[in-house]
Amino acid sequence: MKSKFYITTPIYYVNDRPHIGHAYTSVACDVLARFMRLEGREVKFLTGTDEHGQKVEKSAAAKGVPPKEFVAQGAVHFRDMAREMDISNDDFIRTTEPRHLAGAQDLWRRIKDAGYIYLGSYAGWYAVRDEAFYDESELVNGKAPTGADVEWVEEPSYFFKLSAFSEKLLAFYDANPGFIMPPNRRNEVTSFVKGGLKDLSVSRTSFSWGIPVPGDEKHIMYVWIEALCSYLSATGYPEKGFEKFWPADLHMVGKDILRFHTVYWPAFLMAAGLPLPQRVFAHGWWTIEGEKMSKSLGNAVAPSDLIKNYGLDQTRYFFMREVPFGNDGNFSRERMASVINSELANNVGNLIQRTLSMIQKNCGGAVPDAGGVEKDALDLAFLARAQVTDNATPQEVAKRYYDCKFNEILADIMGIASEANLYIDTKAPWKQKKTDEKLMQATLYHLAEAIRCIAIMLQPFIPQSAARMLVMVGYPEDRAKAGIPFAELMPEYALKPGIPITAPQPVFPKIEIGR
């Protein structure tokens, strides 16, 4: 039986148009989902849209359209982004779907029946943009810590007994040190919880666009208890069988919504008696050419524009390569072009062109035969590096993915490509052809095998380009597109002599700097 892997992006807010921040999160989840499938795991990969709340209601009114129509238009944009970025999600949930309403209301009932929800009244500061409540002490110059405007709200409200979960949450964090990643975010969350938790207002009466509180339809469920439940309702909850994928293995989120996912969400699940997710990873934010991305500056970058100017896989590669995942990053067009050119075009692309051109010209367009030629120390070291991913065991490789060490993984793959280019320079098969043709064939075989391994390793990151590379070294197109398991990096799966190799085609065209 396959082991399961359930991964989620945040449920994206429909008030936004997709920008590189959304694409970044989605690509990171996609890399993990694709890797886990290639590892033989049964993957559920969820993305979707958060469509309720006061902000949506106000935005729809400003546009003169019903909220239902407004959110339907917004959801299309995020579906389109997933398709354009080649995101392999298995499910797309909208919080306006009946399956989500059923899950959210059932979760509420479970929490209330357990005695953790009570009726009271709320008076305090609320940020419509963040859909979040803030204490007076959290305000900065009269605004939310995020810079959002706040308004004073007084209304009847149901409350969740969050204060009852401080010790339980801290004990859970201690028992599960990998629950919050990266580690600096864990410190941030534990400090917040140790500072004392107050009961949380979990319903509103001042607007109507949302899921009604079961048994009291004058109240609308607070968007964060309701929206977070989408991860659960997507598994089929509360129907039987939801346990197949629940609990989630990984929630991927931006650092701005870390508290909701690592304090409120675990507490809701504890109160309902449901298992908690295995891990929450909070990544950083992107600036644009050194400036904060904002609507007022109008500097948001649409993923579709990057694909048009740089290429789909090139865009995916840059997102995962540029910064250690979890840190903030800066998007620069010049930097993006430079990375694509130096690592994909000049390094990998150059290796493909040099190797396969020589094979086409000198080996009858087929995988050469390295038999009968004893490998020297350079051959052995080079093949070991390529075939077993820097001598790492499969378990170590999987852990690096699970820990989201994406830029380190790509640095290692680029290191193999660099070694291959050095190998071809050192071995000089064009010279070997004149002195020992069998030696030339052995050298070209080892290089073709390195290209095969590099392509397999690149599959989660740049799936379409990796498939093209695999076809070029003899894989049937259908197998290459379906994905080659990482187990086939082992020497016993190496290229077989005589398999036809196609003429090299440009996979990574150079990008004009400043484009």
Side-chain angles (χ1 to χ4, degrees):
M1 181 178 171
K2 289 184 177 180
S3 61
K4 65 92 177 174
F5 185 78
Y6 179 26
I7 184 170
T8 70
T9 71
I11 304 303
Y12 298 123
Y13 205 59
V14 287
N15 259 32
D16 295 326
R17 289 294 290 265
H19 54 65
I20 64 169
H22 303 112
Y24 180 59
T25 317
S26 294
V27 170
C29 290
D30 187 59
V31 168
L32 281 166
R34 288 177 183 273
F35 173 77
M36 294 299 173
R37 291 189 194 106
L38 293 172
E39 286 281 281
R41 299 183 68 172
E42 186 175 3
V43 172
K44 181 175 177 65
F45 173 14
L46 176 73
T47 189
T49 43
D50 175 5
E51 302 183 7
H52 287 135
Q54 187 176 8
K55 184 162 62 170
V56 167
E57 189 175 80
K58 284 186 172 184
S59 297
K63 287 201 168 187
V65 297
K68 187 174 182 180
E69 182 180 329
F70 178 81
V71 298
Q73 292 168 356
V76 168
H77 297 312
F78 284 93
R79 284 188 188 274
D80 287 347
M81 180 201 73
R83 176 181 47 78
E84 289 169 356
M85 293 300 304
D86 198 15
I87 306 301
S88 63
N89 54 293
D90 307 287
D91 195 358
F92 187 103
I93 192 165
R94 298 178 57 195
T95 58
T96 49
E97 292 178 34
R99 61 171 171 163
H100 175 62
L101 183 145
Q105 289 192 325
D106 191 85
L107 181 69
W108 179 284
R109 291 188 196 97
R110 288 182 72 138
I111 296 171
K112 190 171 189 298
D113 290 348
Y116 290 109
I117 289 178
Y118 63 92
L119 184 62
S121 61
Y122 177 78
W125 296 105
Y126 184 75
V128 174
R129 191 187 81 185
D130 299 344
E131 300 280 9
F133 302 98
Y134 293 102
D135 289 335
E136 184 88 36
S137 61
E138 293 182 278
L139 302 186
V140 179
N141 298 322
K143 292 192 173 189
T146 60
D149 291 330
V150 294
E151 58 186 44
W152 186 260
V153 173
E154 294 187 27
E155 61 184 338
S157 176
Y158 283 94
F159 284 82
F160 171 69
K161 293 181 181 178
L162 187 62
S163 58
F165 288 88
S166 296
E167 294 306 316
K168 293 176 184 176
L169 286 167
L170 291 172
F172 176 75
Y173 302 151
D174 284 343
N176 300 274
F179 174 66
I180 303 168
M181 292 293 287
N184 62 314
R185 301 294 173 207
R186 182 175 183 273
N187 299 336
E188 176 187 323
V189 171
T190 53
S191 295
F192 173 74
V193 175
K194 285 176 180 176
L197 296 177
K198 296 180 180 178
D199 289 353
L200 180 68
S201 173
V202 288
S203 74
R204 303 291 307 277
T205 57
S206 55
F207 63 93
S208 60
W209 181 245
I211 292 181
V213 166
D216 191 348
E217 297 201 351
K218 296 189 301 294
H219 288 255
I220 295 296
M221 291 174 65
Y222 174 45
V223 69
W224 275 109
I225 185 172
E226 174 250 302
L228 290 165
C229 187
S230 60
Y231 305 133
L232 190 57
S233 51
T235 65
Y237 176 87
E239 300 299 322
K240 286 183 179 179
F242 79 92
E243 303 92 342
K244 177 180 179 180
F245 283 105
W246 191 260
D249 292 86
L250 180 62
H251 293 318
M252 189 76 79
V253 300
K255 64 181 182 180
D256 53 322
I257 53 175
L258 179 65
R259 185 185 301 178
F260 301 102
H261 286 80
T262 57
V263 180
Y264 302 166
W265 182 225
F268 295 153
L269 292 168
M270 286 177 178
L274 292 167
L276 273 60
Q278 300 293 310
R279 179 171 295 198
V280 177
F281 198 109
H283 64 72
W285 289 339
W286 285 87
T287 53
I288 308 296
E289 306 289 353
E291 293 187 305
K292 184 178 178 181
M293 185 163 48
S294 70
K295 287 184 179 179
S296 60
L297 290 173
N299 63 348
V301 177
S304 55
D305 291 341
L306 296 183
I307 295 167
K308 180 181 176 182
N309 288 318
Y310 301 97
L312 167 60
D313 279 347
Q314 289 87 335
T315 299
R316 289 172 58 104
Y317 181 87
F318 179 76
F319 283 163
M320 296 296 98
R321 178 71 177 102
E322 180 61 0
V323 292
F325 199 74
N327 293 6
D328 291 338
N330 178 55
F331 173 80
S332 156
R333 287 172 174 80
E334 185 171 335
R335 173 65 183 162
M336 185 169 178
S338 176
V339 169
I340 291 168
N341 287 342
S342 63
E343 300 193 0
L344 293 179
N346 294 344
N347 197 4
V348 178
N350 189 40
L351 172 66
I352 295 168
Q353 186 66 33
R354 297 171 80 189
T355 301
L356 301 191
S357 293
M358 283 204 72
I359 291 175
Q360 281 292 320
K361 186 176 178 181
N362 301 292
C363 306
V367 175
D369 190 349
V373 178
E374 189 174 346
K375 297 181 184 71
D376 62 20
L378 181 58
D379 298 330
L380 292 168
F382 173 57
L383 285 174
R385 175 98 156 96
Q387 289 174 326
V388 292
T389 321
D390 199 21
N391 296 318
T393 66
Q395 291 79 13
E396 288 167 340
V397 173
K399 186 177 187 307
R400 291 177 78 194
Y401 273 93
Y402 194 54
D403 289 344
C404 302
K405 304 286 189 183
F406 304 127
N407 73 319
E408 289 184 15
I409 294 166
L410 287 172
D412 279 352
I413 298 170
M414 288 304 112
I416 295 168
S418 296
E419 285 192 26
N421 278 304
L422 181 61
Y423 177 84
I424 196 172
D425 289 339
T426 304
K427 287 284 186 173
W430 52 90
K431 291 182 180 177
Q432 290 174 334
K433 181 186 177 182
K434 298 173 183 176
T435 58
D436 189 335
E437 195 159 320
K438 283 190 174 181
L439 206 56
M440 175 202 72
Q441 290 210 17
T443 295
L444 292 174
Y445 175 85
H446 299 152
L447 287 162
E449 174 61 10
I451 292 170
R452 182 189 78 90
C453 293
I454 289 167
I456 290 173
M457 293 179 212
L458 285 173
Q459 288 176 112
F461 298 94
I462 51 173
Q464 293 185 19
S465 299
R468 289 177 64 196
M469 291 169 63
L470 287 164
V471 168
M472 277 189 251
V473 294
Y475 279 84
E477 189 172 352
D478 57 345
R479 271 210 76 204
K481 286 184 175 179
I484 306 303
F486 269 56
E488 294 195 20
L489 286 168
M490 303 302 287
E492 55 264 38
Y493 294 96
L495 291 172
K496 300 293 187 287
I499 293 172
I501 280 183
T502 62
Q505 301 292 326
V507 184
F508 307 110
K510 278 199 173 184
I511 304 295
E512 184 181 334
I513 300 291
R515 182 166 160 185

